[in-house]
Structure formats: structure tokens, C-alpha cells
Amino acid sequence: MVKTMDDYMIEAQTLAKTNVENRKEITKKFVDVMKKRKYKRIFIVASGSSYNIASNVRFFMQKYLKMEVKLQWAATFLYYDMESVAEDDLVVFMSQGGHSTNTVAAAKHMKEKKIDAIAFTNWVEAPLKDYVKVVIGYNSTPGDKFVTKGLIMSSLFMMLCTLEAALSLERLTQAEYDYLIGQITKAVMKLPEAREAAIKFYNENKEFLRDMDRVMTVGCGPTYATALETALKLTETYGCPANAYDMEEILHGPAYEIYQNHTIIIVDAENPEIHGRLMEIYEKMHLLTSRVILITTDGSIKGDYVLHIDKGDIEEEIAVLFLIVPFQYISHQVCEDTRVTSIDRRNAKFQREMATKLPGNRF
């Protein structure tokens, strides 16, 4: 029986708990890399959902490793940014299957420069391994071509790697480390709750959610990563044109595109610095369209199409582990109920001609 996106969402709930428990063992390779040399910066290179995963964890890594973490699309890195890499940078290539053509090409060219490079992937024997010093598996399980479980598990793994390395390098105290592991554990326990909230929201708004013709997603900082992945999933599964925007950038041009048939999705994790501004954007968007969805951790916000997930005291950078869940479920269920997907004969031919994966990709 072929597994669905929902099956992988449920699998993530169990596997995530196991990985938190086994964090010392599964993150050892990354900790060893970080201890061998004093790096000044981490430069992450990725594409597709791997780019979104990196966006998900970048601010967390930067905050707790206490070093700059830069992120770039694989093709842009290959053709424009590679020369900016310094000898004391650690380049990290991220690819779910290890077959992404742009990422592998960038890693191949980086190898020639003799700068330290490692890779994170689900398939440690994939072609990416030939061009890096160390390949680190995400400790997930195979399949999941839509990176449903993969986004949660890979983001979680990168967070655990960050904390173990930070503790080992004495950039975190034991008390700080224990607190953050507690936060991550709470976030993992929220995964079933987030899925149940998504099911309820979908069942209450089926016709509305099946009628998405054009979508614009909005976030800021870590939640911009959620917006990116939401737009990607809606496009990949339902075939709905969707774009992600930073909360201010949507006002600088894209807002002029919005009409009544457009759906706006806003992601809010109650960061006190931006929460008020996001809520102002949420309110004012109703002047342009009634199709405004708000995913928020603020239970005081009421209105049509508001999906609330209580995050308790979980920090914004960690809450992104479960904030993506509603969009994963909605993308899956819309396709299940309408029997519509983004893949038709014309699109399938285009995908074959414009291959983004090397031969042998297992997804």
C-alpha cells in the first residue's frame, strides 16, 4: 500500500520522540566536525524543501552556535557566491535524497577549492557523498517524496545537532541546554495536537480550502520558512499557484495583485517584536479579500479562518517544528477529496525534460 502525506505526518510523531531520546548518538558526526576546527561561519547550500528546512533552522543555529549562518540557493551559490567562501567557513550541503542536480554540482565545484564541506541527507550513499568530507544522515526513514515527515525530522535533527555542538563547544551551559531540550520535547509533543487542529479546521472549511486558485503566504524570520514550505506544498500537490513573502515585502508590490479570489495565509508565532505588525497586516488584508487564513499561537485572535495552536512557552524558533503541520495536512486532504493533483500529462513531460534529480533518486 502506497503511503500518503498523512501517513508520514503520523510517522513523524513517533520517530521525532525517538530521535530526541537518541540525540547524543545520532548527532555525534556533526559534533566531531565542529570540534575539529574553529569555524567562523556556516554556509548552508540547498534547494527546494531542503532550502526551506535550512530556513526553518537557520535562526536557531545562529542563536545557539553563536556564529553567522548564511543560506543560499544551490544554483546561485554555484555561479555567484562560491568565491565568497572563506577558509574558516564550514559549507553544509543539504539534500533530502542526495541527488539534487544543483546541489551536487555545487558540492563538486566546492571540493576543488579544498574548503571543508559536509552534507546532510537521508541517503548517505547518494552521489553527494563523493564531493564532501563527511555525510550525515538525518536519521529518518525512506520514502516521503513530498518531504512531509522529512521537513519535520530534518529540522529537528539540525536543531539537535546545534544543541549538542553548542554544549560540547561550551557555547551553552548545561542548564541552558536542558531547558532547550525541554522546549524541543514540548514541540514534538505538539505534533499530534497540530494535526488534530488541522483536521478540525479542514472539516469546518472544506469548500473554502478546495477553492484556492491563487495563494500568497506570509511570515517573518523562522515563520517565513513555514510560509515558503506552505507555498511549495500547495504548488507541488494541489497545483495551486502560490508564493511566499516576508511580512513587509508583501506590501511593497505584491499586495497590488490581490483580488477577492486570492487566498492569503499568514503564519504567526507570537514573536513580541512583530506580532502586532502581523496582526495589523492580517486585519487590513480583509480590505482586499475575504479569503484570509491565519495560523497563530495567539488564542485571543478570533475570526473566520483562524487556526489556533497553543504553543505554551515554546520559543518561536522551535515552534516552527509543528506550525507547518496544518499546511501539510490541508495540502494532502484537498488532493484526496478532490482527486486533483499538480501532475498531469503535460506537467509530467516537463518534469522529465527538466530533470532536477540525478539518476537513481529514490524519491
Side-chain angles (χ1 to χ4, degrees):
M1 181 177 174
V2 177
K3 290 183 178 180
T4 67
M5 289 175 66
D6 195 38
D7 292 325
Y8 288 120
M9 289 172 65
I10 294 170
E11 281 186 16
Q13 298 170 8
T14 302
L15 185 56
K17 296 175 188 175
T18 301
N19 280 4
V20 173
E21 292 170 0
N22 298 331
R23 60 188 180 275
K24 297 289 184 184
E25 176 186 347
I26 65 177
T27 63
K28 186 178 183 304
K29 274 191 176 182
F30 181 73
V31 174
D32 289 344
V33 168
M34 292 296 291
K35 288 171 67 176
K36 281 182 180 177
R37 188 173 176 186
K38 189 174 182 179
Y39 295 106
K40 287 190 176 178
R41 179 174 67 166
I42 291 177
F43 205 133
I44 302 178
V45 181
S47 59
S49 283
S50 289
Y51 182 94
N52 299 346
I53 291 163
S55 298
N56 227 20
V57 300
R58 177 189 161 213
F59 297 102
F60 183 91
M61 294 178 71
Q62 194 162 259
K63 184 175 181 179
Y64 296 113
L65 284 173
K66 295 179 170 57
M67 60 194 297
E68 180 185 3
V69 178
K70 189 171 181 178
L71 171 61
Q72 188 55 274
W73 299 104
T76 302
F77 176 80
L78 174 60
Y79 297 114
Y80 296 98
D81 245 346
M82 191 172 289
E83 295 304 318
S84 70
V85 177
E87 289 185 1
D88 51 6
D89 286 343
L90 174 65
V91 180
V92 176
F93 294 99
M94 293 174 59
S95 173
Q96 285 291 292
H99 287 73
S100 296
T101 51
N102 287 336
T103 305
V104 172
K108 183 177 181 180
H109 282 269
M110 180 52 59
K111 183 177 181 180
E112 297 168 1
K113 298 178 103 29
K114 299 185 178 181
I115 290 174
D116 287 358
I118 66 174
F120 286 88
T121 180
N122 281 316
W123 301 101
V124 296
E125 293 302 318
L128 192 54
K129 72 173 177 21
D130 296 329
Y131 307 110
V132 296
K133 288 190 173 183
V134 178
V135 180
I136 302 172
Y138 283 121
N139 213 58
S140 189
T141 47
D144 187 20
K145 67 179 180 178
F146 286 113
V147 198
T148 311
K149 174 178 60 179
L151 187 118
I152 296 167
M153 296 307 304
S154 300
S155 298
L156 171 64
F157 186 80
M158 298 297 287
M159 289 181 183
L160 294 174
C161 283
T162 296
L163 294 186
E164 294 303 326
L167 180 66
S168 181
L169 295 169
E170 298 183 343
R171 297 175 189 176
L172 280 179
T173 65
Q174 185 66 49
E176 290 170 330
Y177 167 87
D178 292 341
Y179 168 76
L180 291 165
I181 290 297
Q183 288 254 307
I184 285 176
T185 302
K186 289 178 183 178
V188 167
M189 299 302 290
K190 286 285 181 184
L191 292 173
E193 181 182 322
R195 180 175 171 273
E196 289 303 315
I199 293 171
K200 182 175 184 293
F201 184 80
Y202 180 80
N203 287 334
E204 291 173 349
N205 301 287
K206 284 183 180 180
E207 295 306 316
F208 175 87
L209 293 168
R210 293 172 184 173
D211 194 30
M212 292 185 288
D213 293 325
R214 174 73 173 93
V215 176
M216 302 167 86
T217 63
V218 183
C220 186
T223 59
Y224 175 63
T226 308
L228 279 171
E229 182 66 10
T230 297
L232 180 60
K233 283 295 160 280
L234 287 172
T235 303
E236 282 182 331
T237 57
Y238 189 46
C240 174
N243 296 94
Y245 297 96
D246 173 84
M247 71 173 190
E248 291 296 335
E249 290 309 307
I250 195 171
L251 307 178
H252 290 268
Y256 293 103
E257 176 194 340
I258 300 172
Y259 292 94
Q260 272 296 330
N261 64 328
H262 288 192
T263 303
I264 311 301
I265 301 174
I266 297 172
V267 190
D268 167 51
E270 282 185 281
N271 180 327
E273 299 293 327
I274 63 170
H275 179 58
R277 180 61 167 167
L278 264 178
M279 292 307 96
E280 182 182 12
I281 292 171
Y282 164 69
E283 291 293 339
K284 296 301 188 292
M285 279 295 173
H286 288 86
L287 297 173
L288 301 174
T289 174
S290 59
R291 298 182 58 86
V292 184
I293 298 173
L294 175 66
I295 310 296
T296 182
T297 59
D298 184 349
S300 70
I301 307 297
K302 308 297 179 185
D304 294 335
Y305 316 124
V306 175
L307 194 164
H308 171 248
I309 304 173
D310 178 24
K311 74 178 177 72
D313 66 347
I314 299 172
E315 296 181 9
E316 176 190 27
E317 294 95 345
I318 298 173
V320 293
L321 287 173
F322 57 80
L323 284 175
I324 188 59
V325 169
F327 306 113
Q328 293 177 330
Y329 181 83
I330 289 167
S331 297
H332 158 74
Q333 203 60 46
V334 166
C335 292
E336 286 289 301
D337 288 350
T338 61
R339 298 185 180 181
V340 172
T341 71
S342 62
I343 304 298
D344 59 22
R345 187 177 301 171
R346 176 181 59 84
N347 191 272
K349 181 179 179 182
F350 173 80
Q351 292 295 337
R352 286 195 300 271
E353 295 295 325
M354 296 297 295
T356 61
K357 306 295 180 186
L358 294 174
N361 180 50
R362 301 194 190 189
F363 288 132

